[in-house]
Amino acid sequence: MSPFYCCLAAAVLSLALALASASPAAASISVFAAAEPPADDRMPSPAEQFLRAHNEARAAVGVPPLAWNATIALDAQRYAGELRASCEARPVWAWGTDGVYGRNLYRGSGPRVRAGADASARWAEGARWYDRDGDSCAAPPGRCCGEYTQMVWRATTQIGCARRLCRCLGDTCPLELDTVAPPVEPTPVQFLRVHNEARAAVGVPPLSWNGTLQLDAARYAGELRTDCSLRPPPPLAARGTGDGAPVYGRNLFKAYGRRHTGAEVAAFWADGRRWYDRDAGRCAAPPGLTCGAYTQVVWRATTQLGCARRTCRNGVDTVAVCDYYPPGNIVGQRPY
C-alpha cells in the first residue's frame, strides 16, 4: 500500500494526497480523531512545540531542520479558523493551497486543550510503518504515512502552524484542531525544472521563465476549467502577426480524478521522448498520443516558458497550459 493513500473508517477519517507521484508526500493532508494524551502544564509555546517535534523527526533520519515561517503560520491560522466552525474536513480542492505548499491536519477531542506537540507526535508516528527503501507503508486501517513523509521531506525548508478550539456544537466540545502547512516546490519551478531536465537530456540549452507567457497561459487555463474540455485555442490566441505566423507555441494537458502538479504535467509531455526518432524525424506513439508536446518541450530555438494549471470546476480534474517563445514544431525543421 502506498504511504500516500489512507483509509476511511467509521470512527477515523484519514486523507493523504501526494501531488507528485514521482515525489511522494510533495503535499499531504491528514485529519485524525486522536486519543487523549497525558496532561502537561509546563509546555513551551505552540510554535516551539510544532517546530521542535518536526525537527526531532527530521534529525532522526538525517534531514536538515525546518525554519519557522510567520506568513505560512498566518495561512494555517486562517484555515484553522474556517475549520473550527464544524471541526470537519473539507475536500482537498477547497483548501486553497493549489500545490504551493503541503498541509497536514489534525483533530483531537476531549476535555483538555491540546498542544502542538500532540499533533506532531501523531504525524511522526507514521515512521513506524514507512519503509523508505521500498517506498511503502504498512499502516493499519485508518492510518497512513503521508503526514510523516511530509514532516521529513528533505526539500521542505519552512513550516508554519496554528491550532484552534472548535466551536461548541454539543456536549462533546471542546475539540482541538491543529494545522500545519510546510511549503514544497512552487508550481512554476516544477514546470521549469522538468522542462530543463528533458532539454538537458538531449543537449539543448535551458529555458527561462516568462511572466507574460504565464499570464496568457493562466487566462486560457481559466477558460478551459469551466467545462474541463480541451479545445484548440482561438484563432488569434497564439497569433498576432498579419501573416498568421504563430507568436508562441502551446501545450495543453488534462487529467481526471485528482489534482496534478506542474511536475507531473511536464513529465507527461516529456514522456514522448520514448516514441520520437530524432534521426528519422518520426513518431511511433500509440493511438491517442503524439510526440508534438515533447518536441515543443525540447525545441532548441525556444528560449522562454510560461505555464499555469487550474483545477476544473468539478473540483477534481486538472487542466494545464504552457506557452513557449519562440514557438517550436515548425514544419520542415527538427527540434534539435
Side-chain angles (χ1 to χ4, degrees):
M1 173 181 177
S2 170
F4 317 109
Y5 292 87
C6 298
C7 304
L8 178 64
V12 179
L13 171 64
S14 300
L15 173 62
L17 300 180
L19 292 186
S21 59
S23 301
S28 58
I29 302 147
S30 308
V31 179
F32 296 101
E36 179 67 16
D40 184 352
D41 295 328
R42 297 182 301 279
M43 288 184 176
S45 71
E48 292 172 332
Q49 293 176 32
F50 276 118
L51 188 59
R52 181 182 64 187
H54 277 73
N55 286 338
E56 287 175 352
R58 294 170 70 87
V61 294
V63 177
L66 301 174
W68 188 261
N69 185 305
T71 301
I72 299 173
L74 286 175
D75 188 83
Q77 185 178 45
R78 174 194 60 78
Y79 190 62
E82 295 178 11
L83 293 180
R84 68 185 290 264
S86 62
C87 260
E88 294 179 355
R90 298 179 186 176
V92 61
W93 54 86
W95 292 4
T97 67
D98 196 30
V100 176
Y101 44 78
R103 177 169 283 169
N104 284 345
L105 299 183
Y106 167 92
R107 188 185 75 177
S109 60
R112 183 176 71 79
V113 176
R114 295 179 183 275
D118 297 332
S120 300
R122 179 77 173 187
W123 298 328
E125 194 177 15
R128 298 164 46 192
W129 310 305
Y130 180 63
D131 179 356
R132 189 260 184 196
D133 294 331
D135 191 26
S136 60
C137 179
R143 297 298 302 273
C144 63
C145 302
E147 71 285 350
Y148 164 70
T149 51
Q150 174 62 88
M151 289 182 74
V152 298
W153 193 255
R154 181 179 293 274
T156 299
T157 59
Q158 301 177 60
I159 189 177
C161 311
R163 62 186 180 91
R164 289 291 180 271
L165 283 175
C166 295
R167 294 177 181 173
C168 284
L169 304 176
D171 296 335
T172 58
C173 67
L175 295 176
E176 176 68 13
L177 179 72
D178 293 298
T179 305
V180 57
V184 294
E185 188 178 46
T187 297
V189 176
Q190 294 181 35
F191 274 115
L192 189 60
R193 173 178 58 79
V194 177
H195 274 76
N196 285 337
E197 287 174 353
R199 294 172 68 88
V202 293
V204 177
L207 302 174
S208 60
W209 191 259
N210 184 302
T212 301
L213 294 177
Q214 179 186 13
L215 288 175
D216 189 84
R219 176 193 59 78
Y220 191 59
E223 296 177 12
L224 294 178
R225 71 180 292 267
T226 302
D227 57 4
C228 213
S229 63
L230 295 187
R231 52 186 180 273
L236 298 179
R239 302 178 185 276
T241 61
D243 60 3
V247 175
Y248 47 81
R250 174 168 284 168
N251 279 345
L252 301 178
F253 172 91
K254 176 184 175 181
Y256 302 91
R258 66 179 178 89
R259 299 174 67 176
H260 286 66
T261 65
E264 287 180 304
V265 173
F268 177 81
W269 294 330
D271 192 48
R273 179 185 182 183
R274 54 182 171 156
W275 304 308
Y276 181 67
D277 183 344
R278 188 265 180 195
D279 294 333
R282 290 197 301 263
C283 178
L289 296 173
T290 70
C291 301
Y294 167 69
T295 52
Q296 174 61 88
V297 167
V298 298
W299 197 266
R300 180 181 292 275
T302 298
T303 60
Q304 299 178 62
L305 171 73
C307 307
R309 66 180 178 84
R310 292 290 182 270
T311 300
C312 296
R313 288 190 176 176
N314 62 17
V316 179
D317 301 336
T318 301
V319 291
V321 179
C322 278
D323 288 342
Y324 304 82
Y325 179 83
N329 291 336
I330 306 301
V331 176
Q333 298 182 22
R334 300 284 176 87
Y336 54 89

